[in-house]
Amino acid sequence: MPSTTIKSVVVFGGGTGLSTILRGLKRYPIDLTAIVTVADDGGSSGRLFDQYDIPPPGDIRQVMAALSDVEPLIEKMFQYRFEGSDDLKGHSLGNLMLTALTTITGDFARAVEQMGQVLNIKGKVLPAANQRITLHAELEDGSIITGESKIPLYGRKIRNVFISPQDVKPLPETAETIKNADLIIFGPGSLYTSILPTILVQDIREAVLASSAKKVYIGNLTTQRGETFRYTASEHVQALYDHAGEPFLDAVLVNNVDAFRRAYGIPVDEEPWLVENDLDRLQMLVPEVFVQEIATVFNGTIMHKSADVADVLMRYIERT
């Protein structure tokens, strides 16, 4: 019989990939927490940091919208991006609201908490830190690139990424939430600029490695120019291990690439470059590998099927 105990699920990442997964998970009776990167320095988030000295709200905004339980019009308004005026152009209403709340409360994490109440979100959203984190990348030629938005522009292989300040602290409740989790999920999303920045925070990384929770990585569907171009599934996992300092995953969920390619007529030797499942290598790195048909194409964009991914994850946690 399935367990009746409420499971605690923690999800790491940022951007649209994390938001897609959360839309599926929020339908289940679980204690859900999203720990979200604050390393963004481009677009609206970068401008607000420069003007108001607050952590970048962009990834937080997307995650909160995904977890919200309000009228669709309210969510659409929260995500609305202004055009026209030079002062407002490019800013989303949600980013401006989070900035205003930070100014009012004097604390970014408090602002996120208050906005969560306004949007009636399912679960909790915790910024990886209560201050701006700057992301740096060392490329294969030894050069150092500073700034999350700049890293993908160079088009060279990334050797590793690191953050400053290196002694940045997460919120006090973050480590406790990780410690008490039943399931910890990483991805999908930009490997070097959305997923890894969260576990580069030392206290978070140590809490993850010490946690008895099952840890699952949801593989990306396509590779990303400037970050993971032509990476295989195992190369994504190896990068996670390299930055964490040790292997830590219990399972990985990847798309059935061959079935997806046939269903949508996607060529093998042309873009978009799908993440190939080098299963022999992947099975050496991770105890369990799940290959499922979890991808679709919507408005020309390849994306995860949120309901199907959530179903796999919930079945996995119920049997562990």
Side-chain angles (χ1 to χ4, degrees):
M1 293 288 292
S3 171
T4 58
T5 304
I6 299 297
K7 300 291 187 178
S8 176
V9 179
V10 175
V11 190
F12 283 91
T16 56
L18 175 59
S19 299
T20 298
I21 301 308
L22 292 173
R23 290 183 188 278
L25 289 172
K26 75 175 184 179
R27 300 182 299 111
Y28 290 85
I30 57 176
D31 181 6
L32 184 59
T33 301
I35 299 178
V36 186
T37 179
V38 285
D40 187 8
D41 68 343
S44 171
S45 290
R47 289 162 59 195
L48 290 171
F49 169 76
D50 291 339
Q51 294 172 4
Y52 295 96
D53 194 27
I54 68 166
D59 286 305
I60 296 280
R61 184 199 79 247
Q62 289 194 56
V63 167
M64 297 184 81
L67 290 174
S68 66
D69 186 20
V70 293
E71 293 296 327
L73 183 61
I74 301 298
E75 181 186 342
K76 189 174 182 180
M77 184 174 68
F78 186 67
Q79 292 280 59
Y80 176 77
R81 196 171 294 276
F82 291 93
E83 299 178 1
S85 165
D86 288 342
D87 290 337
L88 289 178
K89 186 174 182 180
H91 284 307
S92 70
L93 181 60
N95 284 2
L96 296 176
M97 292 173 71
L98 284 167
T99 301
L101 267 177
T102 302
T103 303
I104 292 168
T105 64
D107 183 83
F108 181 67
R110 177 68 173 162
V112 172
E113 180 184 357
Q114 293 291 310
M115 184 58 68
Q117 295 177 19
V118 171
L119 294 174
N120 192 28
I121 66 171
K122 168 67 184 293
K124 294 182 294 184
V125 177
L126 301 177
N130 204 20
Q131 67 183 81
R132 163 87 170 273
I133 294 173
T134 300
L135 185 66
H136 313 268
E138 180 185 5
L139 304 182
E140 61 182 343
D141 63 1
S143 59
I144 304 295
I145 308 302
T146 295
E148 178 269 345
S149 63
K150 299 180 181 66
I151 291 169
L153 301 180
Y154 283 77
R156 294 197 290 276
K157 188 176 178 63
I158 297 171
R159 184 176 295 166
N160 64 80
V161 291
F162 57 97
I163 60 172
S164 61
Q166 293 187 353
D167 60 352
V168 65
K169 295 294 183 182
L171 299 175
E173 64 187 288
T174 301
E176 191 68 18
T177 300
I178 296 169
K179 176 184 176 182
N180 295 327
D182 297 296
L183 178 66
I184 298 176
I185 303 166
F186 300 87
S190 298
L191 178 63
Y192 288 103
T193 55
S194 287
I195 300 172
L196 286 173
T198 55
I199 64 170
L200 290 175
V201 177
Q202 181 176 344
D203 288 357
I204 289 179
R205 180 172 64 256
E206 291 177 353
V208 167
L209 296 177
S211 175
S212 61
K214 291 293 184 179
K215 305 172 186 74
V216 180
Y217 171 61
I218 303 173
N220 287 346
L221 302 175
T222 62
T223 69
Q224 184 176 353
R225 283 192 175 274
E227 283 204 36
T228 56
F229 186 60
R230 304 303 297 271
Y231 268 36
T232 63
S234 73
E235 287 177 303
H236 284 78
V237 169
Q238 189 63 58
L240 284 167
Y241 288 176
D242 289 344
H243 286 78
E246 62 184 77
F248 63 91
L249 294 173
D250 296 289
V252 61
L253 171 60
V254 293
N255 186 40
N256 187 327
V257 180
D258 293 335
F260 181 72
R261 186 172 275 130
R262 288 194 301 269
Y264 290 94
I266 297 175
V268 175
D269 297 322
E270 296 178 21
E271 293 194 71
W273 300 109
L274 302 180
V275 176
E276 301 294 342
N277 297 327
D278 50 343
L279 293 179
D280 289 346
R281 174 62 179 160
L282 200 57
Q283 289 165 345
M284 293 174 62
L285 294 173
V286 187
E288 289 194 86
V289 177
F290 301 108
V291 182
Q292 302 283 333
E293 295 183 35
I294 53 172
T296 187
V297 177
F298 181 73
N299 289 339
T301 300
I302 298 174
M303 59 190 301
H304 286 86
K305 294 189 283 189
S306 59
D308 290 3
V309 171
D311 181 63
V312 173
L313 294 170
M314 290 301 98
R315 283 189 282 113
Y316 172 68
I317 194 176
E318 285 296 341
R319 71 169 178 79
T320 58

